[in-house]
Amino acid sequence: MKIAVFVVLVMAMTVTGYVAGKYHERSSDTSEVVLEDYALSNVLSHLAYARYLNKGQTDELRKLLDVDLDGHLNRVRTYQGAVDDAAFEAARIRALNAAYHLWQEHPPFLSAEWKGTEENSFWFKDWEANHAENWKLLRWAWNQCKVRKELKCKMPKK
């Protein structure tokens, strides 16, 4: 029971941090604000990683990794196009393709704690929309890898 409460608490803190960061980002248009928020959320995530790893709680660690990956995908979508370089774009597609295959093999956010409720209604719809857009981005990368063999994407063995 304590583990489930801790998981929900960590996820709630991560989501609250994301929402607060978005609010702060909108109210202040500097890249330093975005970077400071990002850095602090990484500190919190890494502390949780260490706790789960030390306790051997790999299922909980995986849930947190999925939360963080989803947040990183939000940032990829938000800032895409900032780098105009063919090698970077190829690396971006390969990384997104790898994330697609990870989530295809082990789909995230299927547990009851990721369903819309009255308690999470203030952030759930936004999160759900962003997560759907992240899947769309990952499917795009997967399709790019299928049609552009020169990218040399790693595809799972069947």
Side-chain angles (χ1 to χ4, degrees), residues 121-138:
S121 63
F122 72 97
W123 61 264
F124 187 79
K125 293 288 185 196
D126 285 341
W127 173 82
E128 191 174 42
N130 279 318
H131 183 62
E133 288 298 313
N134 290 342
W135 264 114
K136 187 175 169 183
L137 176 66
L138 296 180

Side-chain angles (χ1 to χ4, degrees), residues 12-26 37 122-124 126-127:
M13 286 186 335
T14 302
V15 170
T16 301
Y18 172 76
V19 171
K22 282 296 182 186
Y23 172 77
H24 192 57
E25 179 182 334
R26 287 189 180 125
D37 177 63
F122 72 97
W123 61 264
F124 187 79
D126 285 341
W127 173 82

Side-chain angles (χ1 to χ4, degrees), residues 54-74:
N54 287 339
K55 291 189 170 229
Q57 296 173 326
T58 57
D59 289 341
E60 305 311 318
L61 178 60
R62 174 55 201 265
K63 288 177 185 178
L64 185 57
L65 289 170
D66 285 334
V67 169
D68 282 354
L69 179 55
D70 202 53
H72 291 306
L73 292 170
N74 287 337

Side-chain angles (χ1 to χ4, degrees), residues 91-142:
R92 178 178 168 270
I93 291 170
R94 285 190 297 271
L96 294 172
N97 177 63
Y100 171 84
H101 289 291
L102 173 70
W103 277 2
Q104 278 295 105
E105 187 176 332
H106 303 285
F109 312 121
L110 298 179
S111 63
E113 59 207 6
W114 289 102
K115 305 296 181 224
T117 65
E118 191 174 312
E119 290 82 26
N120 67 16
S121 63
F122 72 97
W123 61 264
F124 187 79
K125 293 288 185 196
D126 285 341
W127 173 82
E128 191 174 42
N130 279 318
H131 183 62
E133 288 298 313
N134 290 342
W135 264 114
K136 187 175 169 183
L137 176 66
L138 296 180
R139 281 190 301 277
W140 169 83
W142 175 69

